Amino acid sequence: MLLKDKVAIITGAASIRGLGRATAVLFAQQGAKVVIADLDEQASINAAKALPGEGHLGVAINVADEAQVQQAMEKILAKYGRIDVLVNNAGITQPLKVMDIQSGHYDAVLDVSLRGTLLMSQAVIPSMRKQKSGSIVCISSVSAQRGGGIFGGPHYSAAKAGVLGLAKAMARELGNDGIRVNCITPGLIQTDITQGKLSDTQKANIIAGIPLNRLGEAIDIARAALFLASDLASYSTGITLDVNGGMHM
Ligand code: NAD
């Protein structure tokens, strides 16, 4: 088992078809104690209960709210006393054109993806530093690399590009503490975030540009997250793992 008895927090992991949930299931199958950290407390608790194995936890958290992050972290540390892995997965998108973005849209998208990634990382770093080990995995997007063109607006591309920069800067700063920080840039994966946002024709056009000839599945991202979270990636930090079927290379 690749994550035996490791404590792994995954944000935004309550959504049943989401990348976070698939990652939580795979991590639990690999022996991890998983903390599902999502907006709704009951949904997080239910998602944690449904995981294979025992000792998981569901907590309510808005990753963009510093007080809530601190509160949740106290609960997590009281139960486990350590944190080995953080997956910064929570994110939202809005399919807007540049001239339609108002400051409320900007704040909402940037707050979850970018501020959330910073606040959650700041919350786990002290424990990881103490342990002299830890892995932080940040979910960015191919939209950051291509300038969108899938379903998110320019502010989403900006938020996800910000995540890439933040992750690399943290990787550089924290390597000496035994903490690795890496990113995944998913292509178009079939989850609730994409559900209903694309017509069949749009989907077919996107697939025509994907060398592997299909949209991604949540498990494709979960496997990449497992690699980066575990010792399989013990000499990788500051990297960006493209999981997009060849859509961007
Ligand atoms: P999803 O909508 O299924 O899941 C997102 C989860 O984040 C939900 O459970 C939601 O409740 C949670 N969330 C939203 N705001 C939150 C907040 N403030 N605090 C805590 N949790 C919050 O979406 P998904 O497709 O599984 O996306 C997961 C991540 O992958 C996101 O960061 C998304 O931007 C990224 N991504 C997805 C795709 C794709 O094609 N699905 C592609 C590239 C990147």
Side-chain angles (χ1 to χ4, degrees), residues 146-183:
R146 297 184 6 144
I150 307 181
F151 59 89
H155 54 332
Y156 178 75
S157 294
K160 293 301 193 180
V163 168
L164 293 180
L166 174 62
K168 286 186 189 196
M170 291 196 292
R172 201 173 279 284
E173 188 179 325
L174 301 172
N176 198 37
D177 292 300
I179 304 171
R180 298 182 295 104
V181 189
N182 295 293
C183 281

Side-chain angles (χ1 to χ4, degrees), residues 67-88:
Q68 284 193 36
V69 169
Q70 282 315 325
Q71 222 176 1
M73 209 54 62
E74 279 166 24
K75 203 168 170 184
I76 294 165
L77 282 172
K79 180 169 169 75
Y80 302 104
R82 59 181 293 122
I83 296 158
D84 300 289
V85 177
L86 166 66
V87 182
N88 283 309

Side-chain angles (χ1 to χ4, degrees), residues 20 22 32-33 36 41 50 57 79 92 101 108 111 157 163 184 203 205 211 219 221 235:
K33 308 281 179 223
I36 305 257
E41 182 168 37
L57 180 68
K79 180 169 169 75
I92 58 168
I101 300 170
D111 262 2
S157 294
V163 168
I184 298 172
K203 264 192 198 169
N205 286 340
I219 188 69
I221 304 305
Y235 198 49

Side-chain angles (χ1 to χ4, degrees), residues 176 199 237:
N176 198 37
S199 68
T237 197

